[in-house]
Amino acid sequence: QVQLVESGGGSVQAGGSLRLSCAFTGLTYTSYCIGWFRQAPGKEREGLGALDSDGNTVYEDSVKGQYTISADNTKDIMYLQLNNLSPEDTATYYCAAALVQGWVRRCLFPKDVNYWGQGTQVTVSS
């Protein structure tokens, strides 16, 4: 069974950084992609970036250079490094997975992923 658990959220001041973690299970013997998403109050959930089991990464243009995705495959953990945060980054951040091979971009779209974590809150104050 695929499960994802996010952690690392919190409150920071503008200009600060956070590293979010997504611990996942159930993906050891399959091809997959895992994406990071966020949802701010009153807004739709949006994709930020994704990584697949072949090590490919993709980012939405809006977060390139500010957010970085990495993974520790020995621990089945994926990370999202958030830098130079502003109040506009305040949202609940989620990771989500899809069972797919060779299509990392699939995990940029909320409707195309199948397994979701519970989310972690990031609050940025000015």
Side-chain angles (χ1 to χ4, degrees), residues 81-102:
Q81 178 70 39
L82 310 174
N83 294 323
N84 193 25
L85 289 164
S86 70
E88 289 69 34
D89 296 305
T90 294
T92 302
Y93 285 71
Y94 301 87
C95 60
L99 304 183
V100 65
Q101 184 174 17

Side-chain angles (χ1 to χ4, degrees), residues 29-46:
Y29 300 109
T30 187
S31 298
Y32 60 87
C33 61
I34 298 177
W36 281 101
F37 301 82
R38 69 182 176 189
Q39 187 166 20
K43 295 187 177 181
E44 294 187 354
R45 193 167 298 188
E46 61 175 338

Side-chain angles (χ1 to χ4, degrees), residues 2-102:
V2 178
Q3 293 184 321
L4 304 101
V5 179
E6 304 93 336
S7 61
S11 297
V12 297
Q13 291 192 329
S17 299
L18 280 174
R19 189 176 77 162
L20 307 183
S21 299
C22 172
F24 55 90
T25 58
L27 296 173
T28 303
Y29 300 109
T30 187
S31 298
Y32 60 87
C33 61
I34 298 177
W36 281 101
F37 301 82
R38 69 182 176 189
Q39 187 166 20
K43 295 187 177 181
E44 294 187 354
R45 193 167 298 188
E46 61 175 338
L48 304 172
L51 177 147
D52 70 11
S53 48
D54 292 327
N56 300 303
T57 56
V58 64
Y59 297 91
E60 286 291 353
D61 288 344
S62 59
V63 302
K64 282 183 180 177
Q66 183 188 5
Y67 294 178
T68 303
I69 292 173
S70 61
D72 183 340
N73 293 323
T74 64
K75 298 181 180 179
D76 288 347
I77 300 177
M78 180 175 169
Y79 301 102
L80 179 66
Q81 178 70 39
L82 310 174
N83 294 323
N84 193 25
L85 289 164
S86 70
E88 289 69 34
D89 296 305
T90 294
T92 302
Y93 285 71
Y94 301 87
C95 60
L99 304 183
V100 65
Q101 184 174 17

Side-chain angles (χ1 to χ4, degrees), residues 1 6 103-104 106 124:
Q1 184 176 0
E6 304 93 336
W103 190 15
V104 63
R106 172 170 173 169
V124 185

